[in-house]
Amino acid sequence: MGLKRNIWLWTGGLGSLLLVSALISITLGSVHLPLSQTIKILLSPMVDWVDKPWGIAQETIVWQLRMPRIFLALVVGAMLASSGVAFQGILRNPLADPYILGVSSGAALGAAISILFVQKYVGLQHFTLPLFAFLGAVLSLGAVLLLAHNQGRTGGDSLILAGVVIQSLVGAILSFLIAMSG
């Protein structure tokens, strides 16, 4: 019973902190909006009793500029947390992160290859960078899995060691490309 209560307390406390930080971030920007006015703007589509002393510009700033960015930040944060939990669960190591397995270095190398060699010649500049970064991360992870695969099984220790090796190799290639690019 105590563990469930602690989980609910932590979840409620952190959820409240997330809500408060999202509300505060809506108020901040080049156009300052008071917190009370921001809350009224957020409540106005749901209730009829809210008076509207603000202009259309403030409502547009909240709903079309700041809310989508905050929502995107929340989604990206949740995805990063999920991938971190996946890394830690697979490796059974609470210190595991994408840097240990070489995934980050692979993504950086893919992005560098896109910037240095591909974006000059292809008309899809906005799509090639994330695509090459993703492909670099996947290829790097595939190389780690191939290197760590030993007699039909893959252990957590061999994954970490293979990840460090691939990260060092890919990091060296990336450093070489950066040095040669000028």
Side-chain angles (χ1 to χ4, degrees), residues 9-20:
L9 282 174
W10 275 102
T11 303
L14 292 175
S16 300
L17 186 63
L18 179 67
L19 180 66
V20 167

Side-chain angles (χ1 to χ4, degrees), residues 32-117:
H32 178 72
L33 299 171
L35 184 61
S36 60
Q37 183 180 13
T38 303
I39 292 172
K40 287 178 183 176
I41 291 172
L42 291 173
L43 289 177
S44 65
M46 294 179 266
V47 293
D48 294 331
W49 52 265
V50 174
D51 59 334
K52 297 184 179 183
W54 60 84
I56 191 75
Q58 285 86 5
E59 196 167 340
T60 302
I61 287 170
V62 169
W63 284 110
Q64 294 183 5
L65 292 176
R66 294 184 182 169
M67 284 300 289
R69 291 176 183 169
I70 290 171
F71 180 72
L72 183 63
L74 292 173
V75 169
V76 168
M79 293 171 74
L80 287 171
S82 300
S83 65
V85 166
F87 271 120
Q88 292 172 355
I90 289 170
L91 296 175
R92 293 179 183 88
N93 184 346
L95 300 176
D97 64 352
Y99 297 101
I100 289 178
L101 290 184
V103 175
S104 296
S105 296
L109 180 63
I113 289 172
S114 172
I115 290 168
L116 293 174
F117 302 117

Side-chain angles (χ1 to χ4, degrees), residues 13 23 48 70 81 92 98 120 122 145 149-150 155 157 159 178:
L23 281 173
D48 294 331
I70 290 171
R92 293 179 183 88
K120 298 175 192 174
V122 180
L145 291 173
H149 193 70
N150 185 15
D157 294 338
L159 269 175
I178 290 172

